[in-house]
Amino acid sequence: MSTRKNKKENAIIQVDTLVERIEKFYEMYKKQINIISSVTLVIIAAIVLFFVWYMPKQQLKAEVAIYKAEQYFAADSLTLALNGDGMYEGLLDVIDNYGLTKTAKRARFMAGISYLKIGDFDNAIRYLKKVRSKDKFISVQSLASIGDAYVEKNDFKNGLKYYKKAIKKNPNELITPIYILRAAQLCEMDNQWEEAASLYERIQKEYPNSNEAADIEKRLEYVKAKQGK
């Protein structure tokens, strides 16, 4: 019985000692602890305010701002889409003014495509490389369009690199065979006959109903002949 009592008393003493140490520590560093606590609360409040009030407000403004630019983009009035018309903001304004919004992500993609279409390939690459999208079409199209821009600059190595990235990203029957075909054609240009054949065979097996599969037999015969098969 006495043993249990001693153990209980020792436990109480240890707890009391721990409490005393904590109290002494707090008294010694009370000012610093209070400052840290205050700063932490301010940071938490700022984060909550940013996501709950500021960002939704910016998102609404961005959607209003991009409205006319999207119309110009759809109509292939690409310079107006990029720069605005003096009355309405362009895609570049939306990116600069509302850069953290989802709308700005969409604007970067459209800006990149616009630059690609007007022949400014460096800016096309610049904006498309900044695209971060969960949309399956946009994520693939961005990578493939970077490949297109590199090919236009006669940088076939990087063109092939980005076509391959597009092929791996969210494969689908609508656009993936297009980029497999382009990658295979670049391989042909670089005398990479074996890889070209492999890509053509992939179209034949995985996308037999695609437009790209229409004359795939002839393409395969050609590259195999180049391999001496």
mmCIF file of all heavy atoms in Angstrom, residues 109 113 135-145 148 162-184 202-203 206-207 209-213:
data_model
loop_
_atom_site.group_PDB
_atom_site.id
_atom_site.type_symbol
_atom_site.label_atom_id
_atom_site.label_comp_id
_atom_site.label_asym_id
_atom_site.label_seq_id
_atom_site.Cartn_x
_atom_site.Cartn_y
_atom_site.Cartn_z
ATOM 1 N N PHE A 109 -3.150 30.949 -71.243
ATOM 2 C CA PHE A 109 -3.301 29.988 -72.335
ATOM 3 C C PHE A 109 -3.700 30.692 -73.626
ATOM 4 O O PHE A 109 -3.084 30.481 -74.679
ATOM 5 C CB PHE A 109 -4.358 28.944 -71.961
ATOM 6 C CG PHE A 109 -4.719 28.021 -73.095
ATOM 7 C CD1 PHE A 109 -3.833 27.046 -73.521
ATOM 8 C CD2 PHE A 109 -5.946 28.138 -73.743
ATOM 9 C CE1 PHE A 109 -4.168 26.197 -74.571
ATOM 10 C CE2 PHE A 109 -6.286 27.299 -74.786
ATOM 11 C CZ PHE A 109 -5.392 26.325 -75.201
ATOM 12 N N ILE A 113 -1.564 31.034 -77.192
ATOM 13 C CA ILE A 113 -2.111 30.609 -78.488
ATOM 14 C C ILE A 113 -2.170 31.786 -79.457
ATOM 15 O O ILE A 113 -1.880 31.644 -80.654
ATOM 16 C CB ILE A 113 -3.511 29.991 -78.308
ATOM 17 C CG1 ILE A 113 -3.446 28.728 -77.443
ATOM 18 C CG2 ILE A 113 -4.135 29.682 -79.663
ATOM 19 C CD1 ILE A 113 -2.612 27.609 -78.017
ATOM 20 N N ASP A 135 -7.804 21.498 -66.494
ATOM 21 C CA ASP A 135 -8.595 21.155 -67.668
ATOM 22 C C ASP A 135 -7.781 20.238 -68.586
ATOM 23 O O ASP A 135 -6.657 20.563 -68.979
ATOM 24 C CB ASP A 135 -8.985 22.438 -68.416
ATOM 25 C CG ASP A 135 -9.867 22.164 -69.615
ATOM 26 O OD1 ASP A 135 -9.327 21.758 -70.661
ATOM 27 O OD2 ASP A 135 -11.087 22.339 -69.494
ATOM 28 N N LYS A 136 -8.340 19.085 -68.931
ATOM 29 C CA LYS A 136 -7.602 18.087 -69.705
ATOM 30 C C LYS A 136 -7.208 18.591 -71.087
ATOM 31 O O LYS A 136 -6.107 18.329 -71.575
ATOM 32 C CB LYS A 136 -8.430 16.806 -69.822
ATOM 33 C CG LYS A 136 -8.567 16.055 -68.508
ATOM 34 C CD LYS A 136 -9.322 14.754 -68.691
ATOM 35 C CE LYS A 136 -9.393 13.996 -67.366
ATOM 36 N NZ LYS A 136 -10.108 12.699 -67.508
ATOM 37 N N PHE A 137 -8.112 19.317 -71.731
ATOM 38 C CA PHE A 137 -7.810 19.826 -73.069
ATOM 39 C C PHE A 137 -6.716 20.884 -73.013
ATOM 40 O O PHE A 137 -5.735 20.835 -73.762
ATOM 41 C CB PHE A 137 -9.068 20.408 -73.707
ATOM 42 C CG PHE A 137 -8.811 21.068 -75.028
ATOM 43 C CD1 PHE A 137 -8.662 20.329 -76.184
ATOM 44 C CD2 PHE A 137 -8.692 22.453 -75.117
ATOM 45 C CE1 PHE A 137 -8.404 20.932 -77.404
ATOM 46 C CE2 PHE A 137 -8.434 23.073 -76.327
ATOM 47 C CZ PHE A 137 -8.297 22.307 -77.473
ATOM 48 N N ILE A 138 -6.874 21.859 -72.117
ATOM 49 C CA ILE A 138 -5.911 22.965 -72.029
ATOM 50 C C ILE A 138 -4.524 22.461 -71.641
ATOM 51 O O ILE A 138 -3.510 22.911 -72.181
ATOM 52 C CB ILE A 138 -6.413 24.040 -71.041
ATOM 53 C CG1 ILE A 138 -7.617 24.780 -71.627
ATOM 54 C CG2 ILE A 138 -5.291 25.041 -70.710
ATOM 55 C CD1 ILE A 138 -8.223 25.813 -70.711
ATOM 56 N N SER A 139 -4.456 21.519 -70.707
ATOM 57 C CA SER A 139 -3.156 21.016 -70.262
ATOM 58 C C SER A 139 -2.398 20.331 -71.399
ATOM 59 O O SER A 139 -1.185 20.501 -71.541
ATOM 60 C CB SER A 139 -3.326 20.055 -69.077
ATOM 61 O OG SER A 139 -4.110 18.939 -69.444
ATOM 62 N N VAL A 140 -3.127 19.574 -72.237
ATOM 63 C CA VAL A 140 -2.501 18.909 -73.387
ATOM 64 C C VAL A 140 -2.172 19.916 -74.482
ATOM 65 O O VAL A 140 -1.064 19.922 -75.043
ATOM 66 C CB VAL A 140 -3.429 17.804 -73.949
ATOM 67 C CG1 VAL A 140 -2.827 17.196 -75.216
ATOM 68 C CG2 VAL A 140 -3.655 16.721 -72.903
ATOM 69 N N GLN A 141 -3.129 20.789 -74.786
ATOM 70 C CA GLN A 141 -2.961 21.757 -75.866
ATOM 71 C C GLN A 141 -1.809 22.717 -75.592
ATOM 72 O O GLN A 141 -1.088 23.121 -76.517
ATOM 73 C CB GLN A 141 -4.256 22.545 -76.052
ATOM 74 C CG GLN A 141 -4.289 23.421 -77.293
ATOM 75 C CD GLN A 141 -4.307 22.607 -78.581
ATOM 76 O OE1 GLN A 141 -5.007 21.610 -78.664
ATOM 77 N NE2 GLN A 141 -3.542 23.024 -79.562
ATOM 78 N N SER A 142 -1.608 23.066 -74.334
ATOM 79 C CA SER A 142 -0.514 23.972 -73.975
ATOM 80 C C SER A 142 0.836 23.344 -74.318
ATOM 81 O O SER A 142 1.692 23.976 -74.944
ATOM 82 C CB SER A 142 -0.551 24.296 -72.478
ATOM 83 O OG SER A 142 -1.733 24.966 -72.136
ATOM 84 N N LEU A 143 1.017 22.088 -73.907
ATOM 85 C CA LEU A 143 2.285 21.391 -74.190
ATOM 86 C C LEU A 143 2.496 21.214 -75.692
ATOM 87 O O LEU A 143 3.595 21.461 -76.202
ATOM 88 C CB LEU A 143 2.278 20.025 -73.501
ATOM 89 C CG LEU A 143 2.294 20.036 -71.973
ATOM 90 C CD1 LEU A 143 2.016 18.645 -71.419
ATOM 91 C CD2 LEU A 143 3.628 20.568 -71.449
ATOM 92 N N ALA A 144 1.448 20.807 -76.387
ATOM 93 C CA ALA A 144 1.557 20.595 -77.835
ATOM 94 C C ALA A 144 1.846 21.900 -78.570
ATOM 95 O O ALA A 144 2.622 21.925 -79.533
ATOM 96 C CB ALA A 144 0.280 19.962 -78.365
ATOM 97 N N SER A 145 1.241 22.990 -78.105
ATOM 98 C CA SER A 145 1.453 24.285 -78.759
ATOM 99 C C SER A 145 2.863 24.811 -78.515
ATOM 100 O O SER A 145 3.429 25.506 -79.370
ATOM 101 C CB SER A 145 0.411 25.293 -78.261
ATOM 102 O OG SER A 145 -0.888 24.887 -78.645
ATOM 103 N N ASP A 148 4.667 23.081 -81.123
ATOM 104 C CA ASP A 148 4.448 23.770 -82.414
ATOM 105 C C ASP A 148 5.349 24.991 -82.550
ATOM 106 O O ASP A 148 5.935 25.236 -83.611
ATOM 107 C CB ASP A 148 2.987 24.207 -82.534
ATOM 108 C CG ASP A 148 2.031 23.038 -82.699
ATOM 109 O OD1 ASP A 148 2.477 21.949 -83.109
ATOM 110 O OD2 ASP A 148 0.830 23.223 -82.429
ATOM 111 N N TYR A 162 8.282 18.312 -76.486
ATOM 112 C CA TYR A 162 6.981 18.770 -75.992
ATOM 113 C C TYR A 162 5.818 18.006 -76.618
ATOM 114 O O TYR A 162 4.778 17.835 -75.980
ATOM 115 C CB TYR A 162 6.845 20.283 -76.171
ATOM 116 C CG TYR A 162 7.475 21.015 -75.013
ATOM 117 C CD1 TYR A 162 8.808 21.403 -75.051
ATOM 118 C CD2 TYR A 162 6.755 21.281 -73.853
ATOM 119 C CE1 TYR A 162 9.405 22.032 -73.976
ATOM 120 C CE2 TYR A 162 7.341 21.917 -72.773
ATOM 121 C CZ TYR A 162 8.662 22.292 -72.836
ATOM 122 O OH TYR A 162 9.248 22.905 -71.755
ATOM 123 N N TYR A 163 5.980 17.516 -77.840
ATOM 124 C CA TYR A 163 4.950 16.653 -78.404
ATOM 125 C C TYR A 163 4.827 15.371 -77.571
ATOM 126 O O TYR A 163 3.721 14.889 -77.299
ATOM 127 C CB TYR A 163 5.262 16.286 -79.854
ATOM 128 C CG TYR A 163 5.027 17.395 -80.850
ATOM 129 C CD1 TYR A 163 5.773 17.486 -82.024
ATOM 130 C CD2 TYR A 163 4.040 18.362 -80.637
ATOM 131 C CE1 TYR A 163 5.552 18.498 -82.952
ATOM 132 C CE2 TYR A 163 3.817 19.381 -81.553
ATOM 133 C CZ TYR A 163 4.582 19.449 -82.703
ATOM 134 O OH TYR A 163 4.362 20.453 -83.614
ATOM 135 N N LYS A 164 5.955 14.841 -77.142
ATOM 136 C CA LYS A 164 5.941 13.626 -76.321
ATOM 137 C C LYS A 164 5.281 13.888 -74.969
ATOM 138 O O LYS A 164 4.572 13.030 -74.433
ATOM 139 C CB LYS A 164 7.364 13.098 -76.130
ATOM 140 C CG LYS A 164 7.939 12.433 -77.380
ATOM 141 C CD LYS A 164 9.340 11.904 -77.126
ATOM 142 C CE LYS A 164 9.882 11.158 -78.326
ATOM 143 N NZ LYS A 164 11.259 10.649 -78.081
ATOM 144 N N LYS A 165 5.527 15.072 -74.415
ATOM 145 C CA LYS A 165 4.871 15.438 -73.160
ATOM 146 C C LYS A 165 3.364 15.525 -73.343
ATOM 147 O O LYS A 165 2.587 15.072 -72.485
ATOM 148 C CB LYS A 165 5.404 16.780 -72.648
ATOM 149 C CG LYS A 165 6.794 16.718 -72.051
ATOM 150 C CD LYS A 165 7.183 18.071 -71.463
ATOM 151 C CE LYS A 165 8.546 18.008 -70.797
ATOM 152 N NZ LYS A 165 8.887 19.288 -70.124
ATOM 153 N N ALA A 166 2.950 16.094 -74.475
ATOM 154 C CA ALA A 166 1.519 16.221 -74.768
ATOM 155 C C ALA A 166 0.876 14.850 -74.952
ATOM 156 O O ALA A 166 -0.262 14.627 -74.528
ATOM 157 C CB ALA A 166 1.314 17.075 -76.018
ATOM 158 N N ILE A 167 1.614 13.923 -75.569
ATOM 159 C CA ILE A 167 1.102 12.572 -75.798
ATOM 160 C C ILE A 167 0.842 11.858 -74.470
ATOM 161 O O ILE A 167 -0.156 11.140 -74.313
ATOM 162 C CB ILE A 167 2.095 11.762 -76.665
ATOM 163 C CG1 ILE A 167 2.147 12.335 -78.084
ATOM 164 C CG2 ILE A 167 1.722 10.283 -76.697
ATOM 165 C CD1 ILE A 167 3.325 11.845 -78.901
ATOM 166 N N LYS A 168 1.735 12.073 -73.508
ATOM 167 C CA LYS A 168 1.608 11.401 -72.204
ATOM 168 C C LYS A 168 0.539 12.031 -71.316
ATOM 169 O O LYS A 168 0.000 11.385 -70.423
ATOM 170 C CB LYS A 168 2.955 11.445 -71.475
ATOM 171 C CG LYS A 168 4.023 10.581 -72.094
ATOM 172 C CD LYS A 168 5.331 10.707 -71.311
ATOM 173 C CE LYS A 168 6.437 9.865 -71.939
ATOM 174 N NZ LYS A 168 7.725 10.028 -71.218
ATOM 175 N N LYS A 169 0.246 13.296 -71.549
ATOM 176 C CA LYS A 169 -0.668 14.042 -70.680
ATOM 177 C C LYS A 169 -2.124 13.791 -71.070
ATOM 178 O O LYS A 169 -2.561 14.182 -72.147
ATOM 179 C CB LYS A 169 -0.358 15.543 -70.795
ATOM 180 C CG LYS A 169 -1.074 16.414 -69.775
ATOM 181 C CD LYS A 169 -0.337 16.419 -68.467
ATOM 182 C CE LYS A 169 -0.884 17.456 -67.527
ATOM 183 N NZ LYS A 169 -0.185 17.463 -66.231
ATOM 184 N N ASN A 170 -2.857 13.170 -70.212
ATOM 185 C CA ASN A 170 -4.306 12.956 -70.423
ATOM 186 C C ASN A 170 -4.634 12.448 -71.828
ATOM 187 O O ASN A 170 -5.326 13.132 -72.601
ATOM 188 C CB ASN A 170 -5.068 14.269 -70.171
ATOM 189 C CG ASN A 170 -4.888 14.785 -68.757
ATOM 190 O OD1 ASN A 170 -4.923 14.024 -67.798
ATOM 191 N ND2 ASN A 170 -4.702 16.091 -68.633
ATOM 192 N N PRO A 171 -4.169 11.263 -72.205
ATOM 193 C CA PRO A 171 -4.429 10.736 -73.554
ATOM 194 C C PRO A 171 -5.926 10.677 -73.865
ATOM 195 O O PRO A 171 -6.724 10.293 -73.016
ATOM 196 C CB PRO A 171 -3.832 9.324 -73.498
ATOM 197 C CG PRO A 171 -2.838 9.367 -72.384
ATOM 198 C CD PRO A 171 -3.398 10.315 -71.370
ATOM 199 N N ASN A 172 -6.276 11.081 -75.073
ATOM 200 C CA ASN A 172 -7.675 11.000 -75.510
ATOM 201 C C ASN A 172 -7.715 10.847 -77.023
ATOM 202 O O ASN A 172 -6.751 11.172 -77.720
ATOM 203 C CB ASN A 172 -8.453 12.252 -75.076
ATOM 204 C CG ASN A 172 -7.925 13.514 -75.721
ATOM 205 O OD1 ASN A 172 -8.295 13.854 -76.835
ATOM 206 N ND2 ASN A 172 -7.021 14.213 -75.036
ATOM 207 N N GLU A 173 -8.825 10.335 -77.524
ATOM 208 C CA GLU A 173 -8.941 10.018 -78.953
ATOM 209 C C GLU A 173 -9.061 11.242 -79.846
ATOM 210 O O GLU A 173 -8.833 11.161 -81.048
ATOM 211 C CB GLU A 173 -10.140 9.097 -79.180
ATOM 212 C CG GLU A 173 -9.967 7.727 -78.554
ATOM 213 C CD GLU A 173 -11.040 6.742 -78.979
ATOM 214 O OE1 GLU A 173 -11.868 7.130 -79.824
ATOM 215 O OE2 GLU A 173 -11.026 5.609 -78.481
ATOM 216 N N LEU A 174 -9.399 12.385 -79.248
ATOM 217 C CA LEU A 174 -9.637 13.576 -80.051
ATOM 218 C C LEU A 174 -8.345 14.221 -80.538
ATOM 219 O O LEU A 174 -8.197 14.514 -81.730
ATOM 220 C CB LEU A 174 -10.451 14.597 -79.245
ATOM 221 C CG LEU A 174 -10.850 15.874 -79.981
ATOM 222 C CD1 LEU A 174 -11.754 15.555 -81.162
ATOM 223 C CD2 LEU A 174 -11.535 16.847 -79.029
ATOM 224 N N ILE A 175 -7.399 14.447 -79.636
ATOM 225 C CA ILE A 175 -6.199 15.197 -80.038
ATOM 226 C C ILE A 175 -4.876 14.441 -79.864
ATOM 227 O O ILE A 175 -3.894 14.782 -80.520
ATOM 228 C CB ILE A 175 -6.093 16.549 -79.286
ATOM 229 C CG1 ILE A 175 -6.097 16.346 -77.767
ATOM 230 C CG2 ILE A 175 -7.199 17.483 -79.719
ATOM 231 C CD1 ILE A 175 -5.917 17.644 -76.982
ATOM 232 N N THR A 176 -4.852 13.405 -79.037
ATOM 233 C CA THR A 176 -3.585 12.680 -78.830
ATOM 234 C C THR A 176 -3.008 12.120 -80.134
ATOM 235 O O THR A 176 -1.795 12.276 -80.382
ATOM 236 C CB THR A 176 -3.760 11.559 -77.796
ATOM 237 O OG1 THR A 176 -4.193 12.129 -76.556
ATOM 238 C CG2 THR A 176 -2.457 10.812 -77.571
ATOM 239 N N PRO A 177 -3.808 11.487 -81.016
ATOM 240 C CA PRO A 177 -3.219 10.966 -82.266
ATOM 241 C C PRO A 177 -2.630 12.049 -83.163
ATOM 242 O O PRO A 177 -1.701 11.782 -83.932
ATOM 243 C CB PRO A 177 -4.390 10.248 -82.948
ATOM 244 C CG PRO A 177 -5.622 10.726 -82.262
ATOM 245 C CD PRO A 177 -5.226 11.095 -80.881
ATOM 246 N N ILE A 178 -3.137 13.267 -83.050
ATOM 247 C CA ILE A 178 -2.578 14.376 -83.841
ATOM 248 C C ILE A 178 -1.117 14.584 -83.465
ATOM 249 O O ILE A 178 -0.245 14.731 -84.336
ATOM 250 C CB ILE A 178 -3.372 15.679 -83.599
ATOM 251 C CG1 ILE A 178 -4.811 15.540 -84.088
ATOM 252 C CG2 ILE A 178 -2.680 16.867 -84.270
ATOM 253 C CD1 ILE A 178 -5.705 16.715 -83.718
ATOM 254 N N TYR A 179 -0.844 14.565 -82.154
ATOM 255 C CA TYR A 179 0.514 14.859 -81.688
ATOM 256 C C TYR A 179 1.433 13.649 -81.807
ATOM 257 O O TYR A 179 2.654 13.815 -81.948
ATOM 258 C CB TYR A 179 0.455 15.419 -80.270
ATOM 259 C CG TYR A 179 -0.431 16.646 -80.229
ATOM 260 C CD1 TYR A 179 -1.532 16.722 -79.386
ATOM 261 C CD2 TYR A 179 -0.193 17.702 -81.105
ATOM 262 C CE1 TYR A 179 -2.367 17.829 -79.399
ATOM 263 C CE2 TYR A 179 -1.026 18.807 -81.136
ATOM 264 C CZ TYR A 179 -2.112 18.864 -80.277
ATOM 265 O OH TYR A 179 -2.941 19.948 -80.308
ATOM 266 N N ILE A 180 0.857 12.458 -81.800
ATOM 267 C CA ILE A 180 1.677 11.271 -82.092
ATOM 268 C C ILE A 180 2.166 11.348 -83.535
ATOM 269 O O ILE A 180 3.332 11.075 -83.829
ATOM 270 C CB ILE A 180 0.876 9.973 -81.863
ATOM 271 C CG1 ILE A 180 0.477 9.832 -80.386
ATOM 272 C CG2 ILE A 180 1.706 8.761 -82.291
ATOM 273 C CD1 ILE A 180 -0.386 8.616 -80.097
ATOM 274 N N LEU A 181 1.271 11.752 -84.428
ATOM 275 C CA LEU A 181 1.626 11.879 -85.842
ATOM 276 C C LEU A 181 2.710 12.939 -86.038
ATOM 277 O O LEU A 181 3.692 12.713 -86.749
ATOM 278 C CB LEU A 181 0.389 12.231 -86.664
ATOM 279 C CG LEU A 181 0.597 12.406 -88.168
ATOM 280 C CD1 LEU A 181 1.078 11.122 -88.809
ATOM 281 C CD2 LEU A 181 -0.680 12.896 -88.842
ATOM 282 N N ARG A 182 2.540 14.091 -85.388
ATOM 283 C CA ARG A 182 3.545 15.154 -85.525
ATOM 284 C C ARG A 182 4.900 14.714 -84.968
ATOM 285 O O ARG A 182 5.948 15.022 -85.548
ATOM 286 C CB ARG A 182 3.065 16.424 -84.813
ATOM 287 C CG ARG A 182 1.890 17.087 -85.496
ATOM 288 C CD ARG A 182 1.496 18.390 -84.830
ATOM 289 N NE ARG A 182 0.241 18.894 -85.364
ATOM 290 C CZ ARG A 182 -0.366 19.997 -84.946
ATOM 291 N NH1 ARG A 182 0.176 20.728 -83.988
ATOM 292 N NH2 ARG A 182 -1.509 20.381 -85.480
ATOM 293 N N ALA A 183 4.867 13.995 -83.839
ATOM 294 C CA ALA A 183 6.117 13.500 -83.256
ATOM 295 C C ALA A 183 6.793 12.516 -84.204
ATOM 296 O O ALA A 183 8.018 12.561 -84.411
ATOM 297 C CB ALA A 183 5.832 12.826 -81.911
ATOM 298 N N ALA A 184 5.991 11.640 -84.818
ATOM 299 C CA ALA A 184 6.544 10.660 -85.761
ATOM 300 C C ALA A 184 7.167 11.349 -86.974
ATOM 301 O O ALA A 184 8.231 10.949 -87.452
ATOM 302 C CB ALA A 184 5.435 9.704 -86.204
ATOM 303 N N ARG A 202 1.586 2.888 -82.842
ATOM 304 C CA ARG A 202 0.731 3.252 -81.706
ATOM 305 C C ARG A 202 -0.596 3.844 -82.194
ATOM 306 O O ARG A 202 -1.652 3.553 -81.644
ATOM 307 C CB ARG A 202 1.464 4.252 -80.806
ATOM 308 C CG ARG A 202 0.665 4.619 -79.571
ATOM 309 C CD ARG A 202 1.469 5.434 -78.599
ATOM 310 N NE ARG A 202 0.622 5.873 -77.491
ATOM 311 C CZ ARG A 202 1.042 6.641 -76.494
ATOM 312 N NH1 ARG A 202 2.305 7.047 -76.448
ATOM 313 N NH2 ARG A 202 0.201 6.999 -75.536
ATOM 314 N N ILE A 203 -0.526 4.690 -83.233
ATOM 315 C CA ILE A 203 -1.765 5.234 -83.815
ATOM 316 C C ILE A 203 -2.621 4.091 -84.345
ATOM 317 O O ILE A 203 -3.839 4.046 -84.125
ATOM 318 C CB ILE A 203 -1.447 6.236 -84.943
ATOM 319 C CG1 ILE A 203 -0.756 7.485 -84.377
ATOM 320 C CG2 ILE A 203 -2.737 6.637 -85.674
ATOM 321 C CD1 ILE A 203 -0.281 8.462 -85.442
ATOM 322 N N GLU A 206 -3.866 1.992 -81.039
ATOM 323 C CA GLU A 206 -4.631 2.664 -79.989
ATOM 324 C C GLU A 206 -5.713 3.608 -80.523
ATOM 325 O O GLU A 206 -6.709 3.863 -79.840
ATOM 326 C CB GLU A 206 -3.683 3.439 -79.069
ATOM 327 C CG GLU A 206 -2.710 2.546 -78.310
ATOM 328 C CD GLU A 206 -1.766 3.345 -77.419
ATOM 329 O OE1 GLU A 206 -2.138 4.473 -77.011
ATOM 330 O OE2 GLU A 206 -0.664 2.850 -77.128
ATOM 331 N N TYR A 207 -5.483 4.135 -81.743
ATOM 332 C CA TYR A 207 -6.444 5.109 -82.294
ATOM 333 C C TYR A 207 -6.809 4.751 -83.732
ATOM 334 O O TYR A 207 -6.646 5.569 -84.644
ATOM 335 C CB TYR A 207 -5.854 6.516 -82.212
ATOM 336 C CG TYR A 207 -5.402 6.890 -80.823
ATOM 337 C CD1 TYR A 207 -4.057 6.801 -80.454
ATOM 338 C CD2 TYR A 207 -6.318 7.322 -79.863
ATOM 339 C CE1 TYR A 207 -3.645 7.131 -79.160
ATOM 340 C CE2 TYR A 207 -5.922 7.651 -78.572
ATOM 341 C CZ TYR A 207 -4.584 7.543 -78.233
ATOM 342 O OH TYR A 207 -4.185 7.874 -76.959
ATOM 343 N N ASN A 209 -9.553 4.480 -85.271
ATOM 344 C CA ASN A 209 -10.674 5.215 -85.874
ATOM 345 C C ASN A 209 -10.390 6.702 -86.062
ATOM 346 O O ASN A 209 -11.264 7.455 -86.496
ATOM 347 C CB ASN A 209 -11.926 5.044 -85.006
ATOM 348 C CG ASN A 209 -12.367 3.587 -84.915
ATOM 349 O OD1 ASN A 209 -12.334 2.862 -85.913
ATOM 350 N ND2 ASN A 209 -12.743 3.163 -83.722
ATOM 351 N N SER A 210 -9.190 7.128 -85.727
ATOM 352 C CA SER A 210 -8.847 8.549 -85.861
ATOM 353 C C SER A 210 -8.545 8.900 -87.315
ATOM 354 O O SER A 210 -8.225 8.020 -88.137
ATOM 355 C CB SER A 210 -7.629 8.882 -85.001
ATOM 356 O OG SER A 210 -6.478 8.199 -85.472
ATOM 357 N N ASN A 211 -8.632 10.171 -87.646
ATOM 358 C CA ASN A 211 -8.273 10.635 -88.991
ATOM 359 C C ASN A 211 -6.817 10.342 -89.307
ATOM 360 O O ASN A 211 -6.453 10.075 -90.459
ATOM 361 C CB ASN A 211 -8.531 12.138 -89.119
ATOM 362 C CG ASN A 211 -10.004 12.477 -89.078
ATOM 363 O OD1 ASN A 211 -10.845 11.672 -89.473
ATOM 364 N ND2 ASN A 211 -10.334 13.672 -88.605
ATOM 365 N N GLU A 212 -5.987 10.395 -88.268
ATOM 366 C CA GLU A 212 -4.542 10.182 -88.449
ATOM 367 C C GLU A 212 -4.220 8.744 -88.839
ATOM 368 O O GLU A 212 -3.136 8.464 -89.359
ATOM 369 C CB GLU A 212 -3.792 10.561 -87.153
ATOM 370 C CG GLU A 212 -3.755 12.042 -86.844
ATOM 371 C CD GLU A 212 -5.112 12.629 -86.492
ATOM 372 O OE1 GLU A 212 -5.949 11.920 -85.869
ATOM 373 O OE2 GLU A 212 -5.347 13.798 -86.839
ATOM 374 N N ALA A 213 -5.152 7.821 -88.573
ATOM 375 C CA ALA A 213 -4.924 6.408 -88.896
ATOM 376 C C ALA A 213 -5.280 6.077 -90.351
ATOM 377 O O ALA A 213 -5.023 4.958 -90.818
ATOM 378 C CB ALA A 213 -5.738 5.523 -87.959
#
